[in-house]
Amino acid sequence: MPYTKRRRLVTSAVAVALGATTLAACGSSDDGGGAQSGPVSLTYWTWTPGMDKVVDLWNKGPGKEQQITVTVKKQASGDTLVTKILTAHKAGQGPDLVQAEYQALPTLVSNDALADISGEVGDVKGEFAEGVWQQTTLGTDAVYAVPQDIGPMMFYYREDLFEKYGLEVPATWDEFAETARKLKKAAPDKDLTTFSANDSGLFAGLAQQAGAKWWSTEGEKWKVGVNDEATKKVAEFWGGLVKEGAVDNQPMYTPAWNKALNTGKQLAWVSAVWAPGTLTTAAPDTKGKWAMAPLPQWPDGGNRTGSWGGSSTGVTTDSKHKDAAAKFAEWLNTDRGALNALAKEGGIYPASTSAQLSGAFTKPPEFFSNQPDFYTKAADIAKTTAPSAWGPNVNVAYTTFKDAFGAAAKDKSDFAAALDTMQEETVADLKKQGFEVAR
C-alpha cells in the first residue's frame, strides 16, 4: 500500500471503506483473528510502573488457561516510544502490544503500525465514556486500541487560603480571572496560579474543553485548526492574565514551582485527576489543605472538561497473534482485578467507568483525605470529557507550543501570535511528510 495514500486515508472522519477495511487488509497477523493453536508468547512495550506485577496476574490466571504468556518490556514514554515503535515496525520487528498515548494513535495508524481490533474487542465499547472510546477509533468503525487510563481535567485549590482571602471557587473562566485579580489586590505577593508553557498537554486540554478541533478532515485531506476560534479564545484569555500580572508566568515542575505550591504562594492549580500524586511530592507540607472542583466553564452553567494525559493498549500489525494480543488488551483494561492492580502498582486512573468507583477508588487519595467524595466527583467529571481531535503530527504542534508560548509567556507578549506560529509549523510539517492538507 502506497505510504502517501495511507496518510491521506487514515483520518478522524474517514468512512469504514477507507478506514477499517483498508487497515484490515494491511494487518500481518497469521492467526486470522481466530483462536491460536498451541502456546503463544507475546511482548508488550509499556512505561507504566509495576506493569510486570499486573501482567503476572494474567500469566498465572487467564493467560495460563489460554496458553498465552505476556512479557513486559519497559520503555520510555512520549515521542521516544513512538519513534521506537515506528523504527521497529519499518524493520518488521515490532512487539505484539504497545502502550500508546491517545494523541499518538493517529501517527501510529497512519504508519500502519496498529491493527484494527474491532472484531476482537468491539463489544467492550460500553465500558468507556463516549469521548474516550472515540479516541481509539479515530471516528471510524475500526478500533485501534483499548482505552487504559484517562486524565480528566479539574481545578485544585487551597481550601484554607481561599477562605482566608475571601475567595469563591470559580464556576466560569470569567470568575476565574476575577478571582485572580481579587487575590492580587489582597495579597500582591501571591498568585492564583501560573501559565506554564512547558507542558503542551495542559494547553491542549484547555483548548479541547473550549471546543477546539486541531485536526479534522475535508474529503481525503487533513485540515489543521490549531488557531481556531476556540483555541484563540483560550490563548487570549491566558495571555491577557499573564500580561496584566494577574497570574504568574513561570513553568511547572521546577523547584521554584514546587516551593510556590508548598508555601502557599500559589493557591490553585488547573490540573487533572492524577494531581494528588504530584502534589504529594511537590507540596508535602500542604496535605489535607487542598480541595478539588470541576474546571471553570466558558458558558455559565456549562458542564464540560478537557483531558490531560491518558493512554491505551494497541495491537501492532507486526504481531503474528492478533487475536491473543487483543484478548490480553481487553483483559488488562476491563478486568476488575487487573484494573485494581494497575491503580495500586501504576497509580493510574482507569478509563473503564465501572472501575472508577471501585477498588482503589472507594476512598479518596491520602493527600485529599479531607475530601471523602474525591473519586465520586472525579467520576462525574470524567463523564463530561469533550471529544478530542488528534492528528498525525501532534509532536510538532506540541514542540512548537513549548517554543512559541515559552517565549510569549516569558516576555508577556502576544499569545495569539504564538498560536499562529503553532498553526503554521504544524501545517508545514504535514505537507513536508507528504500529507494532503486542505486550505
Side-chain angles (χ1 to χ4, degrees):
M1 181 178 295
Y3 191 57
T4 54
K5 183 179 179 182
R6 285 287 295 116
R7 288 184 180 280
R8 292 200 305 271
L9 298 183
V10 182
T11 64
S12 60
V14 175
V16 178
L18 299 181
T21 303
T22 303
L23 277 176
C26 294
S28 62
S29 171
D30 67 358
D31 62 18
Q36 73 285 345
S37 58
V40 169
S41 295
L42 306 174
T43 301
Y44 177 30
W45 286 4
T46 174
W47 67 82
T48 297
M51 183 62 80
D52 53 339
K53 296 180 181 179
V54 181
V55 171
D56 278 346
L57 297 178
W58 165 267
N59 289 335
K60 295 175 180 177
K64 184 176 182 180
E65 296 173 3
Q66 300 176 56
Q67 294 186 297
I68 302 171
T69 301
V70 177
T71 300
V72 169
K73 297 292 185 181
K74 291 296 286 291
Q75 307 292 327
S77 59
D79 292 344
T80 301
L81 178 55
V82 173
T83 299
K84 186 173 182 178
I85 293 170
L86 295 180
T87 300
H89 171 63
K90 288 179 182 178
Q93 298 178 347
D96 297 279
L97 297 128
V98 294
Q99 181 178 0
E101 293 176 295
Y102 296 112
Q103 68 268 22
L105 292 177
T107 299
L108 296 173
V109 171
S110 67
N111 283 280
D112 289 331
L114 290 183
D116 171 17
I117 53 175
S118 55
E120 291 78 18
V121 303
D123 59 348
V124 302
K125 177 180 178 180
E127 283 280 329
F128 309 98
E130 184 177 350
V132 174
W133 184 255
Q134 175 265 337
Q135 295 194 82
T136 66
T137 67
L138 308 188
T140 72
D141 285 349
V143 177
Y144 299 111
V146 181
Q148 181 166 303
D149 60 298
I150 56 174
M153 294 179 69
M154 302 157 185
F155 179 69
Y156 294 86
Y157 64 100
R158 280 285 299 272
E159 207 168 20
D160 56 335
L161 297 182
F162 262 54
E163 182 177 351
K164 177 180 179 179
Y165 295 110
L167 306 177
E168 298 290 334
V169 177
T172 67
W173 286 111
D174 285 341
E175 290 178 7
F176 178 92
E178 288 305 314
T179 301
R181 296 179 183 117
K182 182 177 179 180
L183 174 63
K184 270 297 176 186
K185 290 180 180 178
D189 62 328
K190 297 187 182 298
D191 297 289
L192 180 63
T193 193
T194 186
F195 177 84
S196 173
N198 68 343
D199 198 315
S200 317
L202 170 57
F203 183 74
L206 291 171
Q208 178 188 354
Q209 185 212 20
K213 294 182 179 179
W214 286 3
W215 287 269
S216 58
T217 57
E218 194 172 281
E220 293 187 355
K221 298 180 180 180
W222 282 102
K223 187 171 183 179
V224 181
V226 170
N227 64 347
D228 64 12
E229 290 303 313
T231 311
K232 282 181 180 177
K233 177 171 62 176
V234 174
E236 290 172 354
F237 173 81
W238 285 97
L241 291 179
V242 168
K243 189 172 183 178
E244 71 176 89
V247 299
D248 198 5
N249 62 344
Q250 301 303 307
M252 300 179 294
Y253 312 126
T254 64
W257 181 74
N258 291 346
K259 183 177 181 180
L261 291 176
N262 200 39
T263 61
K265 183 181 184 301
Q266 182 175 313
L267 274 66
W269 184 25
V270 175
S271 189
V273 69
W274 42 258
T278 301
L279 291 172
T280 300
T281 302
D285 297 340
T286 64
K287 179 181 177 181
K289 297 180 179 180
W290 292 80
M292 178 269 284
L295 211 59
Q297 300 294 306
W298 284 108
D300 191 12
N303 188 25
R304 194 176 196 180
T305 194
S307 182
W308 183 7
S311 63
S312 61
T313 309
V315 176
T316 73
T317 52
D318 291 320
S319 177
K320 297 298 189 291
H321 306 288
K322 176 183 172 185
D323 182 70
K327 286 180 180 179
F328 170 76
E330 178 177 332
W331 172 85
L332 180 67
N333 300 305
T334 61
D335 180 82
R336 191 59 53 83
L339 291 169
N340 284 338
L342 275 173
K344 178 183 177 182
E345 303 295 343
I348 68 119
Y349 184 72
S352 169
T353 55
S354 64
Q356 291 168 5
L357 291 174
S358 64
F361 305 102
T362 56
K363 296 180 180 180
E366 187 178 351
F367 199 83
F368 280 76
S369 58
N370 55 305
Q371 190 171 8
D373 66 343
F374 182 96
Y375 282 123
T376 301
K377 185 172 290 187
D380 288 339
I381 293 172
K383 295 174 185 176
T384 71
T385 302
S388 65
W390 301 116
N393 64 339
V394 174
N395 60 321
V396 172
Y398 274 20
T399 298
T400 307
F401 168 82
K402 293 179 182 179
D403 294 338
F405 276 82
K410 182 179 179 180
D411 301 336
K412 298 187 177 182
S413 58
D414 189 5
F415 277 29
L419 189 63
D420 288 341
T421 298
M422 278 184 70
Q423 171 78 11
E424 293 165 5
E425 293 293 331
T426 303
V427 169
D429 177 74
L430 277 180
K431 292 180 177 178
K432 182 179 178 180
Q433 291 192 56
F435 291 95
E436 292 189 21
V437 181
R439 290 180 179 274

